[in-house]
């Protein structure tokens, strides 16, 4: 997957800012990716059919993200002491 697939309207992108700026500066207008609700629904039905609970996945990602943020924030505060 390239950066183009990650740059969608109304999305959050965690690619390095320099990478995003370089992509924008060097690329021609990209045809937007078509997002259809039936494709999205089919994807999540497939995920569920394979035994994956997206609520559990989202909870784990939130917990991991908050834990990482807290650790980084404490580290920053310690550097400021």
């Amino acid at each position: 997957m390239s950066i183009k697939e990650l740059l969608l309207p109304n999305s959050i992108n965690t690619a390095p800012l320099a990478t995003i700026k370089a992509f924008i500066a060097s690329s021609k207008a990209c045809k937007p990716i078509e997002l259809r609700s039936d494709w999205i629904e089919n994807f999540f039905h497939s995920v569920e059919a394979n035994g994956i609970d997206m609520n559990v996945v989202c909870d784990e990602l939130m917990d991991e993200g908050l834990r990482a943020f807290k650790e980084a924030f404490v580290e920053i505060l310690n550097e400021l002491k």
Side-chain angles (χ1 to χ4, degrees), residues 2-72:
S2 71
I3 191 76
K4 179 176 79 173
E5 283 79 20
L6 298 174
L7 296 176
L8 296 171
N10 304 312
S11 67
I12 296 172
N13 192 310
T14 58
L17 187 55
T19 302
I20 295 171
K21 286 180 178 180
F23 172 79
I24 291 169
S26 68
S27 66
K28 300 174 185 169
C30 296
K31 181 180 176 186
I33 296 173
E34 181 183 6
L35 294 176
R36 293 183 20 197
S37 61
D38 60 325
W39 292 349
I40 296 168
E41 289 175 24
N42 287 340
F43 170 79
F44 283 106
H45 287 303
S46 175
V47 168
E48 184 179 11
N50 284 283
I52 299 171
D53 183 339
M54 288 306 295
N55 290 317
V56 172
V57 171
C58 290
D59 289 344
E60 288 175 3
L61 289 172
M62 179 65 80
D63 290 344
E64 290 173 12
L66 290 172
R67 186 172 33 259
F69 177 83
K70 180 181 176 184
E71 291 170 5

